[in-house]
Amino acid sequence: MWRSACAAPTGPKSSGTCASSSPTASSRTPERPRDLKTGELHRIDAADPAAFTAFARLSADNRHPAFASADPGDTNRTTRAYVRDLRTGRTALASPDAQGGPNDQSVSAPVIDRHGRTVAFGSASPDLVPGDTYDTSHVYIRHLK
């Protein structure tokens, strides 16, 4: 069973307590999920392990972390939303632009539903939906396959 090292309550049997008696900043974030049976800590990155990765949220089924990460080689350090399937190891871009490519401006605070099928995030990127002419941040919802 995967849980963040310091998980919030996710059901009637969950206490929401930390797996460690003195959690550090890196052990409190779900981008480093801990297997509570073995105590093993796993690091989750998008394409580049050296890139910025943050804002992680773990689905209630403990299988899908959603997170924001910068792509390698992006000199603007634009963050994009990703979802990882911990069972298969597959990472999917959750914030593609309207043509299926990477979004132009950073996303913030991606969240995921309990089964890892729907992601919501904020962004001012004008290329996420066709015809967006507003120069402000919006909330987007993407249903994953």
Side-chain angles (χ1 to χ4, degrees):
M1 173 177 6
W2 295 102
R3 295 281 170 113
S4 65
C6 194
T10 57
K13 293 184 180 180
S14 177
S15 67
T17 59
C18 293
S20 168
S21 60
S22 58
T24 64
S26 64
S27 69
R28 287 192 306 258
T29 58
E31 69 260 26
R32 292 182 176 264
R34 183 180 302 272
D35 184 327
L36 293 180
K37 290 181 182 176
T38 66
E40 188 176 357
L41 185 65
H42 297 270
R43 186 167 132 177
I44 305 297
D45 298 305
D48 184 357
F52 170 83
T53 302
F55 307 114
R57 297 292 179 266
L58 190 60
S59 63
D61 67 2
N62 298 309
R63 180 175 171 180
H64 301 93
F67 55 95
S69 184
D71 287 339
D74 183 347
T75 57
N76 295 324
R77 299 184 185 188
T78 303
T79 58
R80 295 177 174 92
Y82 293 92
V83 173
R84 166 83 47 93
D85 184 327
L86 293 176
R87 194 173 304 154
T88 67
R90 182 177 177 267
T91 302
L93 176 63
S95 60
D97 66 14
Q99 286 74 43
N103 50 292
D104 287 344
Q105 294 182 27
S106 290
V107 304
S108 61
V111 294
I112 193 161
D113 75 333
R114 67 180 290 114
H115 299 293
R117 296 184 196 126
T118 304
V119 178
F121 55 89
S123 181
S125 192
D127 61 344
L128 292 169
V129 294
D132 186 356
T133 58
Y134 300 103
D135 188 21
T136 188
S137 185
H138 302 285
V139 173
Y140 295 91
I141 297 173
R142 178 159 319 272
H143 300 282
L144 304 172
K145 297 176 183 180

